[in-house]
Amino acid sequence: MTIQRRTLLKGAAATAGMSLAAPFISRGYAQGSSGEVNIFAWAGYINDDILAAFEAATGIKPNYTPYGTNDELLNQLRANNGAGFDIIWPSVDRVPNYVEFGLVQEIDESKVEVAKCLPSAWENSAKFGAVVDGKRYQVPTDWGTEAIAYDKDQAPLEYGTASYGDIWKEDMAGKGTVRAHSSLVGLGLWLEAEGKLPRPLLDAFTSPEAQIEIFDVIVAEAVARKGNIIQFWNNENEAQGAFRVNGAAIGQTWDSTAAALGKEGLPVGFIAPKEGALAWMEGVSIPTGAANVDQAYAFINWFLTPEAGAMYSNATSINSTAVGAADLLSDEAKAFFAAAYPGDALEKLWWWPIQESWYVTKRNEYQDRFLSA
């Protein structure tokens, strides 16, 4: 299953009713022209400019609380029994976990201006986890990747030869930074390409037995090469800090990490490895205990305007699913995307499969085994 950036953007011009001249305030905002909305979203996703623009367009006061990981979000919502927030922002492959615990409500599609969302994103999000048992629980808003961040002076890389394996080579000892659980997948893709896995990596997401067979091999390799890692990261700030102050020269990070460091003037690039960048899609879900549901839908519809989508992408270097947003990207954002995904990189994206609860539980065990070794 593949979604390419070109495919995501291709249908924009053909979508009825949308143009760059469309007013920033649309009919969707009548649902919530006053009151407030409580947003629980990834750290670094929502800045003051975005919050101010939303309030100016809708009259709704946004209250933003950041989190660092999907697990932090899930645990907080479980502790609150789905209450306390009106909007959450999980990765689409984790949405079934929230549905399983009764933490999110079905999306009322009559309240969503679906034509504002790129059709391919809307359709494919259903396959990645936004739709469970025929019911939609998330509106896709953005997508991005986890790939290779690198110091251009200490560890120069080029597309076509750049590999997850570069992080684990002997000459990068003490210079790498990774997130423990996702680095095992990146390492697994490298081992799979080298013919060193007992079966395809994707099989690990299909049954506990396959996961054990595959990840036993991956973790053994990761432990043997652990000396390459100078710092493990769990959130955006930690990943940036690895390069900024802790001596990392290469790492498996989010796109937004490398983009932020580049904006600071550091010589950090970001590139898709030959095995395929780990691609994820995210979106807005509404908790079962949301107190301001109309305002939540107003935020969704506003966030899918071209202007809001471009504001978000220009700030984060994460791709928006809003129709028309790509036409409003800054030159800096366009240059970042071009450098990160040259050649056939977009055709090789490796999209995260749905991560069922059994997979996540065992994944965390392997992560802990790696960290404690």
Side-chain angles (χ1 to χ4, degrees), residues 67-88:
Y67 58 82
T69 70
N70 272 299
D71 291 334
E72 181 184 339
L73 166 60
L74 180 60
N75 292 338
Q76 180 66 52
L77 220 61
R78 290 187 69 182
N80 294 349
N81 293 315
F85 299 99
D86 308 309
I87 284 172
I88 60 170

Side-chain angles (χ1 to χ4, degrees), residues 12 15 59 61 70 180 196 252 286 290:
T15 303
K61 177 177 173 53
N70 272 299
K196 296 180 178 179
Q252 185 177 316
I286 302 176

Side-chain angles (χ1 to χ4, degrees), residues 18-315:
M18 292 302 300
S19 72
L20 296 183
F24 211 26
I25 301 177
S26 74
R27 63 177 176 83
Y29 306 144
Q31 300 164 342
S33 58
S34 63
E36 61 182 10
V37 64
N38 297 307
I39 304 168
F40 198 28
W42 292 87
Y45 270 31
I46 305 294
N47 60 27
D48 290 341
D49 290 341
I50 291 174
L51 295 173
F54 170 70
E55 186 167 5
T58 65
I60 299 168
K61 177 177 173 53
N63 304 309
Y64 166 51
T65 302
Y67 58 82
T69 70
N70 272 299
D71 291 334
E72 181 184 339
L73 166 60
L74 180 60
N75 292 338
Q76 180 66 52
L77 220 61
R78 290 187 69 182
N80 294 349
N81 293 315
F85 299 99
D86 308 309
I87 284 172
I88 60 170
W89 220 295
S91 298
V92 68
D93 50 282
R94 299 295 300 275
V95 170
N97 303 155
Y98 295 81
V99 176
E100 177 183 354
F101 294 113
L103 301 174
V104 291
Q105 58 185 269
E106 182 182 358
I107 295 294
D108 184 348
E109 295 184 29
S110 71
K111 295 183 178 180
V112 178
E113 296 181 36
V114 177
K116 289 183 172 182
C117 183
L118 292 168
S120 57
W122 184 266
E123 293 161 11
N124 282 286
S125 66
K127 304 172 186 176
F128 292 139
V131 173
V132 179
D133 294 332
K135 298 178 180 180
R136 177 171 288 275
Y137 292 91
Q138 187 182 69
V139 175
T141 55
D142 57 279
W143 69 275
T145 65
E146 185 175 326
I148 309 298
Y150 63 98
D151 185 300
K152 297 177 182 178
D153 299 325
Q154 298 183 62
L157 296 178
E158 293 184 1
Y159 182 70
T161 56
S163 166
Y164 291 113
D166 290 322
I167 301 170
W168 307 97
K169 290 181 177 178
E170 289 184 7
D171 59 354
M172 287 294 110
K175 297 182 179 180
T177 184
V178 297
R179 180 174 56 165
H181 79 78
S182 55
S183 72
L184 296 177
V185 174
L187 179 58
L189 286 172
W190 176 46
L191 293 175
E192 181 177 37
E194 297 289 311
K196 296 180 178 179
L197 287 188
R199 54 198 295 180
L201 180 60
L202 279 173
D203 285 1
F205 296 82
T206 62
S207 73
E209 294 76 20
Q211 183 184 19
I212 291 171
E213 184 180 356
I214 293 166
F215 272 80
D216 278 352
V217 174
I218 296 173
V219 169
E221 193 73 32
V223 169
R225 297 174 183 266
K226 189 178 178 182
N228 277 41
I229 308 305
I230 191 171
Q231 180 196 317
F232 288 96
W233 62 267
N234 289 300
N235 55 50
E236 184 72 271
N237 289 336
E238 293 174 0
Q240 291 179 23
F243 284 89
R244 192 184 293 120
V245 298
N246 291 333
I250 192 169
Q252 185 177 316
T253 76
W254 293 320
D255 39 15
S256 53
T257 300
L261 294 169
K263 289 176 182 178
E264 293 178 13
L266 298 179
V268 176
F270 184 78
I271 198 161
K274 60 185 179 181
E275 299 90 356
L278 302 180
W280 41 262
M281 186 180 290
E282 294 171 337
V284 168
S285 296
I286 302 176
T288 50
N292 304 291
V293 174
D294 285 343
Q295 287 81 0
Y297 282 107
F299 180 86
I300 290 171
N301 290 325
W302 175 82
F303 201 76
L304 289 175
T305 61
E307 295 87 349
M311 186 183 300
Y312 171 77
S313 290
N314 288 337

